[in-house]
Amino acid sequence: MSRFRGILQASLNATKKALTWNVEDLVPPTERFIFNFNSKDELKKWHLYSDSEYGGIFSGNLSLDFIEGAKLKINRSGFCGMRSKKFDGFIDLDPYDTIALKVKGDGRCYISTIYTENWVNSPGQEEDNSWQAFVFVPKDNWYIAKIPLARYLPTWRGNVIDAEMEMNPSRVVGMSLSVNAEGGLPGARTGAGDFKLEIDWIKALRT
């Protein structure tokens, strides 16, 4: 009888341990690092882009001028940004509801972009879906900006799409940060001139 009780108790202990492990495993952490800008390898995951590709100027200074003989004819200038290289696969942010960035800036308004897998994937529409939200970065002090995923709007080449669309946070393929000379939130610095944004990390939060 004692042997049976020992087996039963061992079985119960094993079951309890298994259930406890499964519960902990099913609950994701409340935050997840997406990028931690603390090494050269981390920086290699990003690349710069700007309107210099189309006729503007980028050297740490936003310019509204145009270069004669540019490859493409455009009617506005003054933007630049940094974009992560496409992830190897996807990042699943479905358990989270907020993007947090630890940044130090210059009083300008920056644009945070999340790229998700394109559900349409039709001819002429091969680009990833992009979702954008403004980030106001106060001048000279480190600041943690928190942006609810629900605040990101669907965009197409910088313009908000007037359509009912929902982000699929389980299929994130990349991110970017950019700045325009004009536009943004009220009170933010605008116009041509120098800009500077320092980034410590980017996280996903479950609030």
Side-chain angles (χ1 to χ4, degrees), residues 96-142:
Y96 305 95
D97 56 68
T98 300
I99 296 296
L101 308 92
K102 186 176 180 182
V103 289
K104 181 165 69 171
D106 50 12
R108 287 187 182 270
C109 194
Y110 290 80
I111 300 170
S112 170
T113 304
I114 295 174
Y115 300 96
T116 58
E117 180 187 34
N118 184 355
W119 289 358
V120 180
N121 202 23
S122 60
Q125 181 77 5
E126 288 87 4
E127 295 182 23
D128 300 320
N129 294 145
S130 62
W131 308 81
Q132 295 185 330
F134 284 121
V135 185
F136 174 67
V137 184
K139 188 177 180 181
D140 296 334
N141 293 313
W142 285 104

Side-chain angles (χ1 to χ4, degrees), residues 17-43:
K17 184 176 181 181
L19 287 174
T20 303
W21 181 86
N22 286 334
V23 169
E24 291 177 351
D25 187 53
L26 290 173
V27 177
T30 57
E31 65 178 40
R32 170 183 177 175
F33 272 109
I34 302 175
F35 293 102
N36 194 6
F37 296 88
N38 59 1
S39 68
K40 290 183 178 179
D41 288 338
E42 192 77 2
L43 294 177

Side-chain angles (χ1 to χ4, degrees), residues 137-168:
V137 184
K139 188 177 180 181
D140 296 334
N141 293 313
W142 285 104
Y143 170 75
I144 297 178
K146 296 180 180 180
I147 315 166
L149 288 177
R151 196 184 298 170
Y152 284 83
L153 299 177
T155 62
W156 170 250
R157 297 187 178 180
N159 297 310
V160 175
I161 298 173
D162 185 16
E164 292 293 328
M165 295 178 64
E166 287 189 17
M167 180 194 296
N168 182 3

